[in-house]
Amino acid sequence: MEPLFESSVREVSRLVGLQEKELALLEVADRAANELVVSEFERYIERKFNDKVPEVLRKYHLLGVPISEKYGGRGARQLLQALFMERLGQLGLGVITFADVHQCLGSLTIQDWGSEEQKNRYLTKAASGDAVFAYALTEPEAGSDPVSIKTTYIKDGSGFKISGEKYLISNGSIATNLIVFAYPEGTPKELSAFIVDSKEDGFSVDMKLEEKMGLFTSDTALLSFDDVHIAREDLLGQEGKGLHVAYSALLNGRLGVASGCLGVMEDCLNQVKERATTRVQHGKLIGKHQLVQRHIATIASNLESSRWLVYRAAMKKTEAEKSPSDPGLRLEADRQTAIAKYVSSRLAFDSADRAVQVFGGFGYSTVSPVAKHLVDTRVARIYEGTDEIMELKIASSILGKGFEAYG
Amino acid sequence: MQLHLTGSTNINAKRERVFQLLTDPNFIATTLPDAVEVAVLDRESLEAKLKVRVALISSSVKVLLRVADRAPPASARLLAEGSGSGSTLKISSTFSLEGDGTTKMSWVADAEISGLMAGLGSIVLRGFAEKKVSEIFAGITKGIEGASR
């Protein structure tokens, strides 16, 4: 195993306990990650979606890690899923975005909210790679505020018809199925969630969004829905309860991003260690210059400051899942996840910035692996809940009812 | 920055023949991928200008390749040193041959890379090096099997 990841796994195993089967899964994840190094870097340079990610994850049966074995997944608990995402995170957030959206925002949401029939129909395909999921909540006028969503649906004989636009949708142009949120036409309250087949008439990819600061290896699209038919049985959760579905999905997604950020910090640490112990300036290795050491110390501290926040949030989430009737546990898991995502995404960005500094001029080159992390990681402070939304959630969880900044 | 790579491949040719070709600069010259110019200097060495491309970093590298420590038909060393486009590289590799009829070739290579290319880091470079090495050995295997028919 990659040494920094192996030390994480060993420490978690020592303190929390990991079963043989769980360790074996992480070995497989390590092999898959090694196999993706070249394609991920090549596609980053070419600014293209890394189509090797679904291919390699499929080959190693890693497309349904948190999905129950009953539906063809690996049945990983949240802590194991976090470690899996941590390893993938070393490749960068492009890989994480694909895996997080497909598994956490997509498949897990169906596992959490779907009917038995929906789980049988979709999860087996998602775990095998025959289906790829996207999560379509954001719109041009509705980012952090899902209440502003303009997409609407009408009831139509055998089901529903949905119309509107969804913006900045990861996996948008490659998804076979999407979880889409819409209000009933003329009544912009009581949001509902639907599972939409991308082959349905009226669905189109309006634009592949390639003019991004980073995250080039992730697919991002502007999608259009023009009277897209949805069968009655593809309503996800109860009609009018879509906001619960949306928030619970984001909670899954946040933990995935936070875990991926641990991997980013590990890779930054690996890169700066190698650079500092091989590059000579002013007659000595740059690692012997104390101001360079300060950056290395900070990256190592960033990683350790985030690691157990993420693992703790993962364990809290499993605890909450085991007692669904306990709202206190769910709120605590929500709070811990927000803290883990808030801290780890900012510290991953800071680590990438410091890694660029240690690399000097070459670090500023777009072909530098640390520059890739810098441009990729910035989005982690925005998507799946901005820094500011995380701050509001954390603060209101401390202050209590009546202090929520938004309804 | 240093890289340590190992591997093995099976070649459908007799060991003596494999050894003879692998230590012949005239044969090696025909198997080098990305070669723009190759000049065989003597029975031990050749000089080549290679266009090495790692992702978008394309370097023109002038390399001196030398065969050393021949122990026929079991092993030999191939040493390469070169520089260009802001990068320098030094490779020391040893191959050993076993078997009769089909020859198993095992190899170990240590590469030292400095300059611009080193900035990519060993994680990325290792991936590219493994990919390139598999191309080189596929070329060598094809070349030897073709030459041995």
Side-chain angles (χ1 to χ4, degrees):
Chain A
M1 268 193 207
E2 188 284 319
L4 275 178
F5 178 62
E6 190 178 18
S7 84
S8 285
V9 172
R10 212 180 309 120
E11 189 71 349
V12 170
S13 200
R14 189 176 70 82
L15 293 169
V16 183
L18 289 173
Q19 299 161 10
E20 283 297 315
K21 194 173 108 177
E22 294 180 312
L23 291 168
L25 187 145
L26 296 172
E27 292 273 359
V28 172
D30 188 64
R31 276 210 295 283
N34 283 332
E35 207 167 308
L36 284 167
V37 168
V38 171
S39 64
E40 178 59 15
F41 195 69
E42 278 179 338
R43 300 298 191 280
Y44 159 73
I45 297 295
E46 295 160 1
R47 298 192 169 209
K48 281 185 179 156
F49 167 64
N50 187 357
D51 53 356
K52 289 277 172 195
V53 176
E55 185 186 313
V56 171
L57 295 183
R58 180 181 188 145
K59 177 175 131 189
Y60 287 102
H61 188 27
L62 293 170
L63 282 168
V65 173
I67 299 306
S68 163
E69 287 167 312
K70 185 178 166 191
Y71 307 112
R74 295 276 202 156
R77 55 179 159 153
Q78 295 288 345
L79 180 62
L80 187 62
Q81 166 72 4
L83 286 163
F84 163 66
M85 294 294 269
E86 175 178 334
R87 181 61 185 93
L88 289 189
Q90 288 192 11
L91 297 163
L93 283 191
V95 177
I96 287 299
T97 303
F98 170 81
D100 194 47
V101 171
H102 174 67
Q103 302 202 0
C104 303
L105 288 163
S107 311
L108 264 186
T109 305
I110 291 178
Q111 182 161 283
D112 291 345
W113 294 89
S115 64
E116 195 55 33
E117 188 274 325
Q118 285 172 332
K119 291 179 196 178
N120 280 316
R121 192 147 47 97
Y122 290 111
L123 294 183
T124 318
K125 283 186 191 167
S128 70
D130 288 341
V132 169
F133 269 94
Y135 175 86
L137 177 69
T138 303
E139 296 184 0
E141 301 297 329
S144 296
D145 177 19
V147 175
S148 311
I149 281 174
K150 301 273 190 293
T151 300
T152 57
Y153 71 89
I154 52 167
K155 288 189 179 170
D156 174 54
S158 60
F160 308 91
K161 275 191 173 169
I162 193 167
S163 294
E165 279 188 319
K166 295 290 176 180
Y167 178 53
L168 292 171
I169 305 306
S170 299
N171 297 353
S173 82
I174 58 162
T176 56
N177 300 88
L178 306 98
I179 297 178
V180 182
F181 297 87
Y183 283 114
E185 194 175 69
T187 325
K189 53 184 179 184
E190 298 192 333
L191 195 70
S192 288
F194 303 93
I195 305 168
V196 176
D197 188 328
S198 66
K199 289 196 290 293
E200 281 290 340
D201 287 344
F203 170 82
S204 62
V205 177
D206 259 11
M207 202 191 293
K208 281 194 176 193
L209 300 170
E210 288 167 344
E211 285 72 34
K212 298 175 281 189
M213 181 192 285
L215 219 65
F216 307 129
T217 60
S218 165
D219 176 72
T220 317
L222 171 67
L223 307 175
S224 175
F225 301 80
D226 184 11
D227 273 342
V228 176
H229 170 76
I230 301 163
R232 179 84 213 157
E233 55 270 25
D234 280 331
L235 172 71
L236 183 61
Q238 285 177 44
E239 191 174 358
K241 299 289 180 193
L243 213 49
H244 296 294
V245 178
Y247 286 150
S248 106
L250 287 171
L251 194 58
N252 292 334
R254 272 172 206 151
L255 193 56
V257 171
S259 311
C261 284
L262 297 181
V264 169
M265 287 184 266
E266 286 170 353
D267 193 51
C268 288
L269 199 55
N270 279 331
Q271 300 283 357
V272 295
K273 182 182 172 190
E274 187 168 274
R275 184 72 167 178
T277 53
T278 52
R279 184 166 167 83
V280 174
Q281 291 291 279
H282 300 290
K284 58 181 176 183
L285 290 168
I286 61 169
K288 293 191 174 178
H289 295 287
Q290 290 178 338
L291 294 178
V292 170
Q293 289 187 356
R294 187 176 64 190
H295 290 304
I296 295 169
T298 305
I299 296 170
S301 307
N302 285 347
L303 172 61
E304 290 308 319
S305 312
S306 310
R307 191 191 296 285
W308 286 95
L309 285 177
V310 174
Y311 299 159
R312 186 161 177 241
M315 288 186 281
K316 281 278 169 202
K317 207 160 172 303
T318 297
E319 217 179 310
E321 283 164 3
K322 282 180 182 166
S323 307
S325 55
D326 187 339
L329 279 178
R330 193 177 53 76
L331 281 175
E332 184 55 15
D334 194 358
R335 188 172 81 97
Q336 291 293 341
T337 304
I339 292 173
K341 198 255 181 187
Y342 176 63
V343 172
S344 65
S345 59
R346 287 185 315 137
L347 294 186
F349 181 66
D350 178 69
S351 299
D353 186 37
R354 287 176 187 278
V356 166
Q357 198 67 21
V358 171
F359 268 66
F362 189 76
Y364 191 66
S365 160
T366 51
V367 297
S368 142
V370 290
K372 176 180 187 294
H373 283 315
L374 184 71
V375 294
D376 281 358
T377 308
R378 185 62 182 85
V379 77
R381 296 180 51 196
I382 300 169
Y383 68 3
E384 323 229 345
T386 61
D387 277 359
E388 292 73 16
I389 292 290
M390 295 301 100
E391 287 168 332
L392 296 179
K393 280 187 85 69
I394 297 161
S396 63
S397 75
I398 303 287
L399 296 169
K401 226 171 164 50
F403 285 89
E404 295 92 348
Y406 52 93
Chain B
M1 198 207 54
Q2 293 176 331
L3 283 179
H4 178 73
L5 301 165
T6 59
S8 66
T9 186
N10 288 319
I11 303 171
N12 193 18
K14 285 195 184 301
R15 189 159 72 137
E16 288 72 16
R17 181 66 174 148
V18 175
F19 183 87
Q20 185 204 347
L21 289 169
L22 277 180
T23 54
D24 177 0
N26 285 297
F27 173 75
I28 297 170
T30 64
T31 65
L32 289 175
D34 314 318
V36 181
E37 289 169 28
V38 189
V40 175
L41 303 178
D42 51 41
R43 65 178 293 272
E44 306 292 335
S45 56
L46 64 82
E47 202 171 63
K49 196 172 163 191
L50 308 175
K51 196 92 179 160
V52 181
R53 192 182 154 97
V54 177
L56 277 191
I57 303 183
S58 186
S59 310
S60 184
V61 187
K62 207 170 171 184
V63 177
L64 178 67
L65 197 142
R66 198 160 57 82
V67 181
D69 302 336
R70 292 166 191 255
S75 68
R77 286 175 76 203
L78 296 175
L79 307 168
E81 269 189 69
S83 63
S85 303
S87 302
T88 59
L89 85 152
K90 206 185 247 187
I91 302 169
S92 169
S93 64
T94 303
F95 70 80
S96 52
L97 307 174
E98 294 172 281
D100 200 19
T102 295
T103 304
K104 184 184 178 190
M105 175 176 64
S106 305
W107 52 270
V108 179
D110 286 291
E112 200 174 315
I113 302 159
S114 55
L116 278 184
M117 202 72 91
L120 291 172
S122 63
I123 297 168
V124 168
L125 279 178
R126 172 178 299 281
F128 278 99
E130 282 169 353
K131 194 176 164 189
K132 186 56 72 184
V133 164
S134 71
E135 280 173 32
I136 291 172
F137 281 109
I140 286 176
T141 306
K142 199 174 157 193
I144 293 176
E145 289 175 353
S148 301
R149 278 201 189 106

